[in-house]
DNA sequence: TCTTTATGGTGAG
DNA sequence: TCACCCTAAAGAT
């Protein structure tokens, strides 16, 4: 939608209604992801901030079409060709450039997992401030790397072959490089393939066999007590940073010797 | 129809 | 680390 003219902007929340006329007929200059938030910038300098949390969802449809849905329509951005509809989300704001800079969530974000290069991710893994933090907790911390969520955490650690209780301190440089590769590769694959982090051929084969989305999507996430796709060992479910985490105890051995 | 859970985040202690 | 907030789908009754 970037570089197109907004023909109509709709906000469900009363406190945002005053921006409907301000933003309508303005040009959308940029739509960017910052971690898990989306910023939609307009040529007047204002930007719509939105965060889906666990339940928000965007739908792109033809302009002036509104699909039947029981969900709450919170925001509609319409152009001549397409409409972007945001359902259910509650975390929506309109911000000036100054407010973006000072924003509580945005200003505290670490490097974005999809926009930053691998060198920046490697640097984060080697930065002294994070060396003693366990991967399980580190990967949910958006100050560390922005955009990794609960299922990517389990999937990345599986692909890198690292136990959730390990820390950067416990890893050699080559292990950290392997982890940086996994962070970028798994995140991009998930972005491009609708959240499928499993091997794509394997996922396609399982899908063809009639398996459900939940049965073919992931290596380990939400597969507690099921066989590891690589070694057949039962996947372990645990808790880290108050959220559930999954790993294979054989493919992801706990190594605590310092390098 | 009620309860639980979730790919998230905040703030108190 | 935990309770809490938010919404909707899934699971339990």
């Amino acid at each position: 939608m970037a570089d197109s003219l907004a023909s109509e902007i709709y906000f469900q929340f009363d406190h945002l209604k005053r921006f409907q006329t301000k933003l309508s007929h303005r040009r959308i200059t940029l739509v960017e992801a910052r971690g898990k938030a989306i910023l939609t910038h307009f040529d007047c300098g204002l930007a719509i901030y939105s965060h889906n949390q666990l339940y928000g969802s965007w739908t792109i449809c033809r302009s002036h079409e509104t699909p039947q849905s029981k969900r709450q329509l919170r925001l509609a951005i319409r152009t001549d060709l397409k409409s972007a509809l945001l359902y259910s989300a509650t975390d929506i704001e309109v911000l000036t450039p100054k407010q973006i800079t000072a924003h509580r969530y945005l200003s505290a974000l670490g490097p974005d997992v999809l926009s930053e290069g691998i060198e920046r991710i490697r640097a984060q893994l080697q930065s002294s401030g994070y060396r003693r933090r366990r991967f399980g907790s580190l990967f949910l911390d958006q100050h560390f790397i922005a955009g990794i969520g609960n299922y990517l955490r389990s999937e990345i650690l599986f692909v890198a072959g690292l136990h959730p209780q390990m820390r950067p301190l416990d890893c050699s440089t080559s292990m950290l490089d392997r982890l940086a590769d996994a962070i970028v590769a798994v995140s991009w694959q998930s972005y491009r393939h609708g959240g499928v982090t499993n091997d794509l051929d394997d996922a396609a084969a399982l899908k063809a066999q009639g398996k459900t989305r939940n049965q073919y999507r992931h290596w380990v996430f939400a597969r507690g007590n099921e066989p590891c796709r690589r070694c057949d060992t039962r996947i372990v479910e645990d808790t880290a940073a108050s959220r559930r985490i999954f790993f294979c105890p054989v493919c992801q051995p706990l190594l605590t010797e310092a390098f």
Side-chain angles (χ1 to χ4, degrees):
Chain A
M1 300 196 89
D3 207 38
S4 42
L5 206 64
S7 51
E8 187 197 344
I9 302 287
Y10 163 81
F11 290 103
Q12 185 188 42
F13 297 126
D14 286 342
H15 69 282
L16 296 174
K17 293 259 185 217
R18 65 191 176 98
F19 291 108
Q20 288 181 167
T21 44
K22 271 189 182 169
L23 296 177
S24 295
H25 310 298
R26 288 290 182 177
R27 189 163 292 278
I28 299 166
T29 53
L30 174 69
V31 180
E32 57 165 344
R34 294 212 196 163
K36 295 166 185 166
I38 301 278
L39 280 176
T40 306
H41 297 266
F42 291 79
D43 62 2
C44 57
L46 294 173
I48 299 175
Y49 165 94
S50 61
H51 192 305
N52 283 359
Q53 287 203 313
L54 291 170
Y55 37 82
S57 73
W58 285 97
T59 296
I60 306 293
C61 62
R62 280 179 299 192
S63 190
H64 302 292
E65 179 185 341
T66 304
Q68 285 291 326
S69 174
K70 288 181 178 175
R71 304 179 68 167
Q72 297 287 317
L73 179 62
R74 305 298 199 189
L75 163 66
I77 303 173
R78 300 187 188 280
T79 69
D80 285 343
L81 289 176
K82 287 181 177 178
S83 291
L85 310 176
L86 178 56
Y87 290 95
S88 304
T90 52
D91 200 357
I92 302 172
E93 301 169 40
V94 176
L95 303 173
T96 64
K98 266 190 180 175
Q99 288 172 319
I100 291 173
T101 308
H103 194 269
R104 184 177 52 189
Y105 176 81
L106 294 174
S107 64
L109 291 177
D112 186 281
V113 69
L114 295 185
S115 350
E116 297 278 354
I118 186 111
E119 293 301 331
R120 185 77 181 82
I121 303 295
R122 278 197 197 121
Q124 281 298 90
L125 285 171
Q126 282 162 7
S127 112
S128 58
Y130 297 117
R131 288 185 59 77
R132 295 181 176 279
R133 298 264 308 274
R134 300 189 188 282
F135 291 130
S137 119
L138 203 48
F139 278 19
L140 288 189
D141 185 344
Q142 302 298 298
H143 307 86
F144 172 58
I145 296 173
I148 298 176
N150 199 37
Y151 81 89
L152 283 177
R153 164 176 82 159
S154 291
E155 296 295 284
I156 287 166
L157 287 171
F158 175 82
V159 169
L162 295 172
H163 193 285
Q165 285 181 30
M166 289 173 64
R167 306 159 295 178
L169 185 65
D170 303 315
C171 297
S172 63
T173 306
S174 66
M175 288 159 84
L176 290 181
D177 287 351
R178 197 172 66 204
L179 179 55
D181 289 346
I183 289 169
V184 172
V186 174
S187 300
W188 271 106
Q189 178 180 317
S190 175
Y191 171 71
R192 291 185 170 128
H193 295 92
V196 175
T197 46
N198 188 13
D199 175 85
L200 290 173
D201 292 336
D202 187 33
L206 289 168
K207 192 177 178 181
Q209 288 169 27
K211 302 287 187 188
T212 65
R213 183 170 163 79
N214 281 341
Q215 290 171 323
Y216 66 73
R217 273 177 94 182
H218 302 308
W219 288 105
V220 291
F221 185 78
R223 297 190 63 241
N225 222 24
E226 290 175 42
C228 172
R229 301 194 194 278
R230 287 203 171 133
C231 75
D232 246 20
T233 307
R234 286 182 184 276
I235 301 298
V236 172
E237 174 171 0
D238 199 356
T239 299
S242 303
R243 313 284 302 278
R244 57 190 192 140
I245 193 167
F246 300 82
F247 64 96
C248 170
V250 172
C251 297
Q252 300 166 260
L254 178 57
L255 310 171
T256 51
E257 54 192 295
F259 281 86

